[in-house]
Amino acid sequence: MPTRTVPPVAVFKARGLTKIYHVAETTVEALRGVDLDLYAGECVVMLGPSGSGKSTLLNILGGLDVPTSGVVHFRDHDLTAEDDDALTLYRREHVGFVFQFYNLIPSLTARENVALVTDIAANPMAAEEALALVGLAERMDHFPSQLSGGEQQRVAIARAVAKRPDVLLCDEPTGALDVRTGVLVMDVIDRVNRELGTTTAIITHNASISRMADRVVHLSDGRVTQVESNLQRCSARELVW
Amino acid sequence: MRTLRRKLLRDLMLLRGQSVAICLVMACGVGTYVMSLSTLHSLRHAQFTYYEQYGFADVFAHLKRAPDSMARRLAEIPGVAAVQTRVIAEVTLDVAGLDEPASGRLVSLGRTSEALNRVFLRRGRLPLERGVDEALVNEAFAEAHALRPGDTVTAVINGRRRALRVVGIALSPEYVYAIRSGEFLPDNRRFAVFWLPHVQLSAAYDMEGAFNDVTVALAPGASEAEVIRRVDQLLDRYGGSGAYGRSEQLSNKFVSNELTQLRAMALVTPAIFLSVTAFLLHIVFHRLIGAQREQIAVLKAFGYTRWEIGGYYLQLAALLLTVGSALGTGLGAWLGHALTELYTQFFRFPVFDYLLSVDVVATATAITGGAGLMGVWTAVRQAMLLPPAEAMRPEPPAAYRPTIVERMGWARRLPLAVRWILRQWERQPARTALSWIGVALATSVMVLGSFVEDAIDYVIDFQYFLAQRQDVTVTFVEPASSNSIHDLRRLPGVQLVEPFRSVPVRIHFGHNARRLGLLGLDPNQRLFRLMDARERRLDLPPEGLVISAKLAEVLGAGVGDMLTVEVLDGRRPTRQVVVAALLDDFTDPAAYMRLDALHRMLWEGPTVSGAFLAIDTRYKPELYRQLKGTPRVAGVSMKSSVLQTFRSTLAENLTRMRLFNIVFASVIACGVVYNSARISLAERSRDLATLRVLGFTRTEVSRILLGEFALLTMAAIPLGLYLGYGFAWLMTFALDTETQRFPLVVLPRTYGYAALVTIIAGAASALTVRRRLDRLDLIAVLKAHD
Ligand SMILES: Nc1ncnc2c1ncn2[C@@H]1O[C@H](COP(=O)(O)OP(=O)(O)O)[C@@H](O)[C@H]1O
Ligand SMILES: [Mg+2]
């Protein structure tokens, strides 16, 4: 990694991850043995066709789900050995999520949606600060229904970063957005990654987004097929898709 | 957590209609409980303190005449703490403004130390020993005739008409509920108690130095049965008619019976109301959590713990529960106060405070809390266990199949809307069943709310129009020869006279015994007929006893068993008589025999105690006037006046209590139905909005939703009526006491009313839902993912 001088520290170490879903009589192998490391401060984009297991992998990294077999280490914690309470604590302390459908609480304003998370965080930034960071200082008291999709997603990002998480996990954050709005959202994520040094993983099927990543992980059919490193990481504003 | 709390308030605002409905339903459950129990406690407390402070006796006995010296002998019985001897006489009264004669009881006052059965002087003063015919009168009668100190009432005392001058209005623990013996309803206009100085009364009845009534207070720990036995032994020679305890003292028996029934009402109705509330909370929370599963998942994804999320919903529930039970307590206290006040019209206590004890409120709150939490617990648990990754995924498209109805082929002509509804139901049978049961429960509480009135109406009808059809009952001072019957026949307007012989007896079987009046009847009676609960006429067998089924039950006897009948009057023989038949009836246990068999049993000629009369009402005033002037007549009881009194007092109470219950039940019904409608709107709004986007009109869309709801309501009503019948059946068990039983009668009007309220509630709910449907924000519904 040319931009960094220190040797990379692995934040996540996943080895031999499998995930099998049982649906009626059939089984679906969502992951079939994934090995992956994520390094501190890097921005990783996960690419792959629909159904390739991206969300499954991200959910396991984020402690929302557990693998059928294999191990995941977050720093010194073995996430696969932890129970629900420990995983909850892990998510609470370390993880910020951004979802495709924003998933804001409709009965709370933008500011309150962020405050919902800062309320339970150890060292959060002010909700106002987080919203300013995503350029929504003016819309803080609006309800989700009064915001556009892109604005809602930026609130969701503010919500994810306000607690200063160690990792930011985004599952198709622009999936429901148009190009221009998508760029705006990616720019926010990019800035958070650069300015706060948050380890970031972004799922997308939009290959052009991968240009803003340090590394690109390709998934197909439940396996990691390829990992590329970007020599030249460009900023989100320069993306074209 | 502050923000979560804010969400709580916002959610409540969004759900305000439903929240208000839930709170009201809960308030009704708690309200009935607080109302009934606080009334019960107030009455019990009043009864207890009254008995305590005014020395209500424990054992009572009447006799012909005993010398005063016997009082000491009685006091020497082990276990007797105090003895009061009195003279008591039954008289006929001539009251100004009353056509018919009234009955009075004269009670002597001011002898011994007055430790027992002390009167409470409400107004005026005590009669003077040397005053002339001065008397106290009981409050209920005084009120019925607006009597004030200084007024007079004419009484036929020992054959002579004398004007009793009222000097004071009084109450006594012996007459909390002043009722003539052998009667089933009180008649305050036609039954009075007067207290006269002992010297005066004993002089009037040639009872100087003697007494004909004794009451006894027991020492702590004394055996009532043993004291009764010893009292009977001592009084046997003096014509004692059998001592008895408080449980057979008329006033106390009625008050206790009323309290038992009130207690049953206080337990059964609120229990059912509260279960319905819990059920409603259960449904609402299940649906609420179902609708919020994505929100829950987000909270979890960001590290809210299971307990924080569970706590959130429990707080929501607790808030509703608190508001509901606070409202209910207020309401219950208010109505309880009103009800307690109503009771003072026929229960006479010197002070009658409304008590709302902390434990009633605490229990009500605990029960509601418990019921509510039970209702929300499973739903909340579901929220706590929801795996976040799972919930984040949009719900997979529902797997629809043609319904059974369609597969069977004959439903192809059903309109699309109906098919859509049926498919929804078949796909989610559990949800549908819950909504169905919810609305059915709403209907059932309505049935329960009005059932008691049906039962009472039925009993009154049965008792006074089917079984005891006489217009007038005349009782003689002493058992008389059958000539007196002929005299009665000659009175104006009398159409039919049927004699009866009534004799006080104590019936024993094994270790059990009951005192009652054994009634000898002519086998061909047309007025007073023995009817069982199935409205079948029972013919008196030539020999043997017909007894109330309830009496058989308390004695432990059955048909064919030999009972020991101890006659407590006249020559006082004791006989073995076989039980020939049982009579299923609704009132105080009774025993009947054929008149001739009774005469044989008593070793007496054809004497009668009185007669039942059918009269031509046109001659009523004249008949009354003549009866008033007949010294042999001790009492006259008029069906019409009994019923009139009943309607103006007891029935009014019951009606009001029923009204409270009906209002409660209606509120519950509306609350449940409204919630069901709102829930189905919430669940369907996405689909309906999609249909609207696809070009369906408002009317078409609302036809689907409201059609579903209408179908559900219609399907729920029969189940609800059936459940209501079941609840009524439970209630008859709870209300079953020795002195009163309620038949399981639910009139069509009650079913009709229950169905009607459900339909009205359904229509009103449908209207509000329809208004919401019209304002359905298509974009928002489709955009919002939760
Ligand atoms: N809860 C589940 N139950 C059954 N199958 C699932 C579940 N979650 C995911 N799958 C299946 O696992 C595979 C991978 O899914 P996912 O990780 O969501 O893919 P991606 O995010 O790459 O589109 C898919 O075939 C999907 O249908
Ligand atoms: Mg996915």
Side-chain angles (χ1 to χ4, degrees), chain B residues 21 25 438-446 662-678 706 709-710 712-714 716-717 752-770:
Chain B
V25 168
V439 178
L441 281 174
T443 315
S444 72
V445 293
M446 300 289 312
I662 290 266
V663 169
F664 283 150
S666 311
V667 171
I668 290 176
C670 295
V672 173
V673 172
Y674 175 71
N675 258 304
S676 303
R678 283 296 303 274
L706 301 184
F709 186 59
L712 185 79
T713 307
M714 287 305 155
I717 287 175
Y753 181 74
L756 189 71
V757 170
T758 311
I759 290 169
I760 289 174
S765 308
L767 272 181
T768 66
V769 165
R770 163 86 214 233

Side-chain angles (χ1 to χ4, degrees), chain A residues 44-186:
Chain A
V44 171
V45 162
M46 297 188 189
L47 275 178
S50 179
S52 56
K54 305 181 298 289
S55 297
T56 307
L57 178 59
L58 200 76
N59 287 347
I60 292 173
L61 294 180
L64 283 178
D65 211 344
V66 286
T68 309
S69 69
V71 282
V72 185
H73 279 277
F74 172 77
R75 296 184 181 154
D76 316 327
H77 304 287
D78 180 356
L79 293 184
T80 43
E82 312 231 284
D83 62 8
D84 184 69
D85 290 340
L87 283 180
T88 302
L89 199 65
Y90 158 67
R91 295 197 299 268
R92 187 174 186 141
E93 289 176 350
H94 304 290
V95 189
F97 285 104
V98 178
F99 305 103
Q100 180 180 358
F101 295 108
Y102 336 132
N103 290 86
L104 299 177
I105 305 289
S107 55
L108 296 179
T109 62
R111 191 207 307 256
E112 289 161 353
N113 262 288
V114 178
L116 195 61
V117 174
T118 57
D119 274 355
I120 57 167
N123 177 30
M125 56 178 94
E128 292 77 10
E129 189 187 340
L131 284 165
L133 194 69
V134 299
L136 283 178
E138 255 90 89
R139 314 290 302 268
M140 282 192 295
D141 293 319
H142 289 211
F143 284 94
S145 59
Q146 297 165 325
L147 298 172
S148 73
E151 286 162 344
Q152 287 187 54
Q153 192 60 299
R154 276 146 67 197
V155 174
I157 294 169
R159 180 175 65 178
V161 301
K163 65 168 157 184
R164 306 183 204 277
D166 295 308
V167 292
L168 179 61
L169 305 178
C170 313
D171 192 342
E172 301 192 34
T174 58
L177 300 175
D178 62 76
V179 178
R180 269 190 35 203
T181 326
V183 170
L184 223 61
V185 166
M186 290 315 297

Side-chain angles (χ1 to χ4, degrees), chain B residues 390-581:
Chain B
E390 194 88 353
M392 206 70 74
R393 210 176 303 275
E395 265 189 278
Y400 282 101
R401 292 177 306 165
T403 59
I404 295 176
V405 183
E406 289 166 287
R407 268 172 278 150
M408 285 189 325
W410 55 267
R412 221 160 279 141
R413 268 170 303 149
L414 287 177
L416 178 69
V418 174
R419 269 186 276 163
W420 197 67
I421 292 164
L422 289 179
R423 280 180 212 161
Q424 293 267 21
W425 286 2
E426 198 174 311
R427 195 171 70 80
Q428 299 180 315
R431 268 188 193 188
T432 310
L434 280 183
S435 304
W436 182 55
I437 294 171
V439 178
L441 281 174
T443 315
S444 72
V445 293
M446 300 289 312
V447 176
L448 181 71
S450 8
F451 147 72
V452 172
E453 197 193 11
D454 288 353
I456 288 174
D457 277 1
Y458 177 81
V459 171
I460 295 293
D461 225 46
F462 177 91
Q463 201 70 12
Y464 288 103
F465 295 98
L466 200 65
Q468 306 180 12
R469 303 192 294 177
Q470 69 276 15
D471 300 311
V472 176
T473 305
V474 174
T475 21
F476 299 135
V477 179
E478 290 280 313
S481 75
S482 39
N483 286 342
S484 344
I485 299 301
H486 297 298
D487 296 344
L488 287 177
R489 239 173 232 138
R490 279 197 292 273
L491 290 174
V494 172
Q495 293 168 325
L496 202 59
V497 177
E498 293 182 347
F500 67 86
R501 175 76 171 102
S502 154
V503 58
V505 296
R506 188 148 48 191
I507 296 184
H508 305 258
F509 185 72
H511 292 296
N512 302 319
R514 285 289 183 282
R515 272 170 52 97
L516 46 89
L518 171 55
L519 202 59
L521 299 170
D522 207 296
N524 303 317
Q525 296 252 34
R526 283 160 51 199
L527 297 176
F528 190 110
R529 308 187 298 177
L530 298 187
M531 303 288 289
D532 75 3
R534 297 221 182 94
E535 301 189 2
R536 282 178 314 208
R537 188 162 178 192
L538 196 99
D539 286 323
L540 274 171
E543 291 293 336
L545 282 172
V546 172
I547 62 172
S548 302
K550 191 71 191 178
L551 180 62
E553 186 191 314
V554 298
L555 291 177
V559 173
D561 282 331
M562 275 293 188
L563 304 183
T564 305
V565 177
E566 180 191 352
V567 177
L568 302 169
D569 201 9
R571 264 169 281 179
R572 311 177 41 125
T574 295
R575 296 273 188 278
Q576 301 290 312
V577 188
V578 72
V579 178

